Amino acid sequence: MELKMQLDIGDYYKTYLKSEWQRRTQINPRYSMRAFARYLSLDVAQLSRLLMNKQTITMRTAEKICENLKLDSANKGVFLNSVAFDREQIYRKATAG
């Protein structure tokens, strides 16, 4: 079970962003990905690739997203740890080959 937890932590920030976007679209069905990207201070293409698991983000971008979402310190810590874990896994894959 611990291994499963390790594998899932890198996806937490992506899952969080997806659920936040879905929450906003449930409140306002006309809420667009472009509006969400603007709110997060991201390019809409970058957000789209991120939500489709085709791209990751830098720690600097993650910090900016946390500020824009006004995450409390506990959620911010989990979000940033998730990004760091994801980036580490990508680095390990890139250097293993």
Side-chain angles (χ1 to χ4, degrees), residues 2 12 19-20 25 31 37 39 46 52 54 59 61 63-64 66 69 74-75 79 83 87 91-92 94:
E2 186 175 323
Y12 172 81
S19 66
E20 180 62 21
T25 57
Y31 190 77
Y39 180 80
Q46 182 183 19
M52 291 187 306
K54 293 185 177 186
M59 293 305 293
T61 300
E63 288 274 356
K64 183 170 53 173
C66 288
L69 290 173
N75 284 323
F79 190 93
V83 172
R87 294 186 59 77
Y91 176 76
R92 285 183 181 181

Side-chain angles (χ1 to χ4, degrees), residues 3-21:
L3 180 61
K4 176 99 171 104
M5 297 269 303
Q6 285 181 334
L7 294 175
D8 291 343
I9 186 132
D11 291 332
Y12 172 81
Y13 74 100
K14 294 174 189 175
T15 303
Y16 185 90
L17 290 174
K18 286 176 188 175
S19 66
E20 180 62 21
W21 184 52

